[in-house]
Amino acid sequence: MDLCIIGSGYVGLVTGACFSEMGHHVTCVDNDQRKVDMLHAGRIPIYEPGLEELVHRNVSAKRLRFTTSTQDGVDQSQVIFIAVPTPPQPDGSVDMTFIEKVAREIANALKPGQYRVVVDKSTVPVCTGERVAATIQRYNKTAEFDVISNPEFLREGCAVEDLMKPDRIVIGSSSDRATDLMRRVYAPFQAPVLVTDINSAELIKHAANSFLSLKISYINAVSAICEASGADVELVADGIGMDRRIGRQFLNAGLGYGGSCFPKDVKAFIAIAEELGVPFNLLKEVERINAAQLERFLRKMRDGLWVLKEKKIAVWGLTFKPDTDDVRNSLAIDLVNRLIAEGASVTAYDPKGMEKAIEWKLIPASVKLAKTPLEAVADAEALVIATEWKEFQNQDFAAVKSQMHTPLVFDGRNLFDPATMKEFGFIYYAIGRPVVK
Ligand code: NAD
């Protein structure tokens, strides 16, 4: 099939690459000329495992191409996916200006007699589909189209895998003709398809991300009780997670949830519910617990170091999670900024996130960046683990300890085995676990 994706970021580019890998002909549109130029030059603007290879293969096979022209994309394609940002506004509600603008652009590009399916893949408030349809109709009276909601559930860091083998595909539709086309788009993926009305599909995405955030906040609240009582949150999580009704995933105590999705989607869901006259106080508590985690972690650091001012601190990890270069809303970045604000001197290392952290000016120029994890710890008075990259687990810890001025480790992701850290002679602070001295 001929498909078009408007917005070629983390969701749009990976979706375009995976659709083309499945044999569709895909036009990826982005209004950022620099991004499209990079893609034309064979360079991939984001890091996502497996993506580069996929893009190169499908561009060579002439199944994938890039343009800045929405008109071009709409002309060529039966199905038009929208994958533009839906960032939060200061009050937590969703900024819909990108979606509205794309709806107008599609309306202007649609030609009489050309039936098109317009699919919203961005994460949007319930009832957006109705507004997109009304907008297209308002700007193009003769347009023949249907609107579909097809929320995306990919996780950054394993986005290609998630797209190729999704747990489910949700299609929110009010038209059999459009549903049939969507089934054809996804047929090669051989994944379970759930067809719903448009509003339910839109709600599924916010409800799913809020539930996952809730699970993280739940175990973080339990981790505080573990710290107060001397229990070990990892064992508690194992015990809870072995219950198949609950599951072990997303029961990892740590600095909290961050990134470009969970914080904004929880905020959005609270705002959406409030607007509908159904206050969602449970989610407000989820946010409160999440914000408290970083404060508790800083208290732990003050407990170990007494005063943070003038301390040399190595931070491993800047991205909001491993296997991505995404540093948007990363708690690791927040932590670095808090340490700097308290007068500490920070040397950071991240396998993929340093370039964007500098480019987007997310960390002050005073933060030194190291080329290796070992270089970062040279003369450090403490090491902080802020992102759970696998690379950090495979370090030579005897060498790490010998490089450090004092062997304090504050593990914000419970990445290490306390007994092993003790063997190496570290003073080891983790989340929700007894301190090892
Ligand atoms: P992104 O910022 O990485 O990419 C969005 C792209 O859209 C950018 O490249 C931007 O230049 C482009 N764009 C903006 N306006 C445009 C226009 N008018 N025409 C053409 N291109 C335009 O964002 P993302 O992370 O891919 O997220 C997109 C949507 O998907 C959001 O609603 C997000 O909540 C949702 N989502 C994201 C993830 C994730 O993990 N990143 C997962 C699921 C859903």
Side-chain angles (χ1 to χ4, degrees), residues 200-432:
S200 301
E202 289 167 341
L203 213 62
I204 284 168
K205 176 65 191 179
H206 273 123
N209 270 6
S210 296
F211 186 77
L212 293 170
S213 306
L214 179 146
K215 226 174 151 184
I216 294 169
S217 277
Y218 183 82
I219 200 65
N220 280 336
V222 171
S223 80
I225 299 169
C226 289
E227 280 174 21
S229 62
D232 184 333
V233 74
E234 292 299 320
L235 301 176
V236 175
D238 287 346
I240 304 170
M242 285 167 84
D243 185 329
R244 272 174 295 157
R245 293 169 303 175
I246 299 173
R248 181 64 171 84
Q249 285 190 28
F250 280 78
L251 286 181
N252 296 318
L255 292 174
Y257 61 79
S260 69
C261 288
F262 285 179
K264 96 169 161 67
D265 290 349
V266 171
K267 267 197 192 340
F269 206 22
I270 292 171
I272 291 161
E274 218 139 76
E275 201 169 303
L276 292 167
V278 197
F280 208 155
N281 291 331
L282 176 65
L283 290 185
K284 290 187 183 163
E285 186 61 13
V286 166
E287 284 192 312
R288 193 199 61 73
I289 294 166
N290 201 52
Q293 273 313 94
L294 192 62
E295 301 307 323
R296 284 202 312 120
F297 191 74
L298 284 163
R299 275 207 296 279
K300 221 185 287 271
M301 290 191 70
R302 287 186 211 105
D303 178 42
L305 292 162
W306 190 14
V307 169
L308 298 180
K309 194 173 177 186
E310 292 173 8
K311 293 283 157 31
K312 289 177 101 173
I313 298 176
V315 176
W316 284 0
L318 289 174
T319 53
F320 85 98
K321 65 182 289 194
D323 297 320
T324 178
D325 61 347
D326 198 349
V327 282
R328 294 177 290 181
N329 264 313
S330 167
L331 287 168
I333 297 273
D334 289 353
L335 182 60
V336 166
N337 282 297
R338 288 294 297 273
L339 294 173
I340 294 287
E342 294 214 21
S345 142
V346 174
T347 303
Y349 169 79
D350 189 280
K352 296 283 177 203
M354 297 196 285
E355 210 174 295
K356 286 204 166 132
I358 301 166
E359 188 188 328
W360 297 344
K361 298 188 172 54
L362 297 178
I363 48 174
S366 62
V367 174
K368 293 183 222 47
L369 296 172
K371 288 193 185 68
T372 63
L374 200 59
E375 188 186 309
V377 296
D379 211 25
E381 288 157 283
L383 164 63
V384 171
I385 314 300
T387 313
E388 63 274 35
W389 284 90
K390 266 218 173 66
E391 179 179 339
F392 301 155
Q393 270 172 322
N394 306 326
Q395 294 301 307
D396 173 352
F397 279 99
V400 170
K401 182 166 175 259
S402 73
Q403 287 292 310
M404 291 178 72
H405 187 270
T406 41
L408 269 79
V409 175
F410 297 91
D411 185 350
R413 297 295 176 188
N414 287 1
L415 196 60
F416 302 126
D417 171 34
T420 311
M421 297 311 273
K422 188 175 180 156
E423 260 171 47
F424 280 109
F426 288 105
I427 299 168
Y428 178 66
Y429 290 78
I431 308 270

Side-chain angles (χ1 to χ4, degrees), residues 113-142:
Q114 273 185 345
Y115 173 76
R116 294 289 184 260
V117 178
V118 177
V119 185
D120 177 42
K121 213 169 222 329
S122 294
T123 302
V124 294
V126 60
C127 300
T128 295
E130 293 163 16
R131 289 194 172 274
V132 168
T135 302
I136 296 175
Q137 247 146 24
R138 194 158 57 245
Y139 286 88
N140 186 339
K141 297 269 180 301
T142 60

Side-chain angles (χ1 to χ4, degrees), residues 86-223:
T86 46
Q89 308 201 83
D91 68 354
S93 65
V94 183
D95 175 355
M96 296 302 289
T97 52
F98 294 88
I99 299 278
E100 195 267 352
K101 184 164 180 251
V102 171
R104 278 187 284 126
E105 286 168 357
I106 292 172
N108 293 332
L110 287 172
K111 293 183 177 142
Q114 273 185 345
Y115 173 76
R116 294 289 184 260
V117 178
V118 177
V119 185
D120 177 42
K121 213 169 222 329
S122 294
T123 302
V124 294
V126 60
C127 300
T128 295
E130 293 163 16
R131 289 194 172 274
V132 168
T135 302
I136 296 175
Q137 247 146 24
R138 194 158 57 245
Y139 286 88
N140 186 339
K141 297 269 180 301
T142 60
E144 286 175 47
F145 69 99
D146 280 305
V147 170
I148 291 271
S149 166
N150 173 220
E152 181 48 59
F153 300 99
L154 67 78
R155 295 163 297 171
E156 284 178 28
C158 44
V160 170
E161 199 189 322
D162 283 351
L163 253 151
M164 289 301 208
K165 293 186 204 126
D167 287 346
R168 79 299 208 187
I169 289 152
V170 174
I171 298 173
S173 171
S174 56
S175 145
D176 289 345
R177 184 180 182 187
T179 308
D180 285 348
L181 276 169
M182 288 300 287
R183 282 191 190 279
R184 278 181 52 204
V185 170
Y186 280 108
F189 292 85
Q190 297 182 326
V193 174
L194 177 71
V195 178
T196 69
D197 59 282
I198 298 176
N199 286 354
S200 301
E202 289 167 341
L203 213 62
I204 284 168
K205 176 65 191 179
H206 273 123
N209 270 6
S210 296
F211 186 77
L212 293 170
S213 306
L214 179 146
K215 226 174 151 184
I216 294 169
S217 277
Y218 183 82
I219 200 65
N220 280 336
V222 171
S223 80

